Amino acid sequence: MRRASTLASFNVLSRSLATVHGGAAATSASPSHGLLQVALYGTSSTTGSHVRRRWFDSFSGGPAGKLAIGVAGTLASVAVASSLTQEVYAKEPPPAELVPKDVVLYQYEACPFCNKVKAFLDYHDIPYKIVEVNPLSKKEIKWSDYKKVPILMVDGEQLVDSSAIIDKLNDKIVPERVAAPSSNDEEKKWRQWVDNHLVHMLSPNIYRNTSEALESFDYITSNGNFSYTEKFTVKYAGAAAMYFVSKKLKKKYNITDERASLYEAAETWVNALDGRDFLGGSKPNMADLAVFGVLRPIRYLRSGKDMVEHTRIGEWYSRMERAVGESARIKA
């Protein structure tokens, strides 16, 4: 994991000082650099540098010169402060020799457990192929005795159950993983919370009413493996069915207010961070990836937008989006 280093700040400052003192022309085209050049010379052109330097030397002694230097100093300070506050997160790919050669995920696009696995794969930049399973026929997984998703094939080995898949993958790509026992305990606790609590908040929210149920199934059928006829049938029949299923889930998990329960879960997670960028500290751990994964399918549905608007989870989610980065999926 990498953050924007203070070296970047020193580079900005040194380029600014080089300009002030008539040093070598900097090649950066950053806005802060351009502003410094304008403040001092009125142009960013390297032509006539000797004339500009002589002009600056004669100008700097007067009140206007002092003002220009003050402006330049302020701009340099702003540039340094800006670069210090910019956070750049990066993926954590394993050593090349540990990357599996053939990874295939059998999934439903909107499945939170499948998205947990994808978040892990994406963050570690492990290339994988997708086989979208038709939830009606499940013909794509008829070869397997396990009739649920996700199923992950890793170099010919079948892995099932999202948390078990992630554990086994983690052992494969980070065999010498070292962490403090307390850190492991915290990570384990919150991964269990994701599986035993957070995921149960999703269906009652995304199928809260008929319009949200239709929105969800429009997303599912647009991304899933359906024929034209199946899309129409699944969208309306599925939305109606899941609307009633969500009511049963509300009762089962003692949910009286769907949104309030989702917001409470989001705030519980933010409280667990305790001011850290991630539960893992300066970089995500497997609990961060699990929470991010199960929330990713709803983030831009009505329920996810409401969650970000009414809780403090948005900043953490944005950091996770930057850390996880682009999908490692291999497009057919």
Side-chain angles (χ1 to χ4, degrees):
M1 179 61 59
R2 300 183 297 276
R3 288 176 178 271
S5 67
T6 53
L7 179 60
S9 304
F10 293 137
N11 286 340
V12 172
L13 184 56
S14 63
R15 288 198 302 271
S16 303
L17 292 174
T19 306
V20 170
H21 294 294
T27 58
S28 171
S30 67
S32 57
H33 187 209
L35 283 169
L36 285 164
Q37 289 180 317
V38 169
L40 292 172
Y41 303 125
T43 177
S44 60
S45 170
T46 57
T47 305
S49 60
H50 175 71
V51 173
R52 287 200 304 273
R53 187 157 53 249
R54 187 174 57 193
W55 172 84
F56 177 72
D57 290 341
S58 63
F59 180 70
S60 60
K66 290 183 175 64
L67 176 61
I69 293 173
V71 170
T74 300
L75 288 169
S77 298
V78 169
V80 171
S82 175
S83 64
L84 282 171
T85 57
Q86 289 176 352
E87 296 173 324
V88 181
Y89 300 104
K91 293 174 180 281
E92 288 282 332
E97 66 272 14
L98 297 180
V99 177
K101 294 179 175 59
D102 186 30
V103 180
V104 182
L105 176 65
Y106 293 81
Q107 66 148 28
Y108 303 144
E109 181 65 25
C111 167
F113 297 107
C114 298
N115 277 277
K116 273 174 57 183
V117 175
K118 287 193 288 187
F120 183 89
L121 294 170
D122 291 339
Y123 177 64
H124 290 288
D125 210 19
I126 299 172
Y128 61 95
K129 301 172 186 174
I130 288 288
V131 175
E132 191 68 22
V133 176
N134 186 310
L136 300 179
S137 65
K138 296 187 179 180
K139 61 184 179 181
E140 292 80 7
I141 56 173
K142 285 191 180 297
W143 53 268
S144 175
D145 292 334
Y146 188 79
K147 299 304 179 184
K148 299 178 183 180
V149 293
I151 296 174
L152 192 72
M153 296 298 297
V154 181
D155 293 334
E157 179 185 2
Q158 177 180 276
L159 305 180
V160 300
D161 184 274
S162 61
S163 292
I165 289 170
I166 290 168
D167 285 337
K168 290 178 181 178
L169 267 181
N170 192 66
D171 290 343
K172 287 176 180 292
I173 67 171
V174 194
E176 298 178 358
R177 185 173 183 244
V178 178
S182 60
S183 174
N184 282 333
D185 290 344
E186 183 182 42
E187 182 181 75
K188 181 179 178 181
K189 168 190 170 182
W190 288 103
R191 289 181 67 196
Q192 290 175 341
W193 175 81
V194 171
D195 291 343
N196 298 331
H197 181 75
L198 181 60
V199 291
H200 300 310
M201 300 300 105
L202 302 187
S203 289
N205 274 278
I206 61 180
Y207 305 117
R208 183 175 62 150
N209 52 47
T210 52
S211 64
E212 289 188 67
L214 285 170
E215 177 195 32
S216 300
F217 268 88
D218 186 53
Y219 171 79
I220 292 169
T221 55
S222 296
N223 290 280
N225 183 21
F226 299 100
S227 67
Y228 178 81
T229 303
E230 286 173 334
K231 282 184 180 181
F232 182 86
T233 304
V234 169
K235 178 178 178 178
Y236 291 96
M242 287 306 299
Y243 171 77
F244 291 106
V245 168
S246 70
K247 301 309 173 188
K248 292 183 179 180
L249 292 173
K250 276 185 63 177
K251 185 176 181 180
K252 179 178 180 180
Y253 295 107
N254 298 314
I255 298 171
T256 54
D257 185 316
E258 301 93 333
R259 285 295 195 268
S261 296
L262 180 62
Y263 300 162
E264 182 181 5
E267 289 293 341
T268 297
W269 174 248
V270 175
N271 289 336
L273 298 175
D274 194 24
R276 294 169 289 184
D277 282 354
F278 307 102
L279 192 76
S282 61
K283 62 182 180 181
N285 64 15
M286 290 195 290
D288 287 289
L289 292 170
V291 176
F292 176 73
V294 301
L295 292 180
R296 191 154 57 168
I298 76 162
R299 170 60 184 91
Y300 296 101
L301 298 178
R302 181 71 269 160
S303 54
K305 292 176 181 176
D306 287 349
M307 176 187 68
V308 169
E309 182 179 347
H310 291 95
T311 73
R312 297 171 294 152
I313 203 169
E315 290 185 6
W316 169 85
Y317 190 92
S318 295
R319 287 194 293 272
M320 286 299 299
E321 282 189 312
R322 295 197 298 274
V324 172
E326 295 295 321
S327 173
R329 175 182 178 179
I330 301 171
K331 298 291 179 67

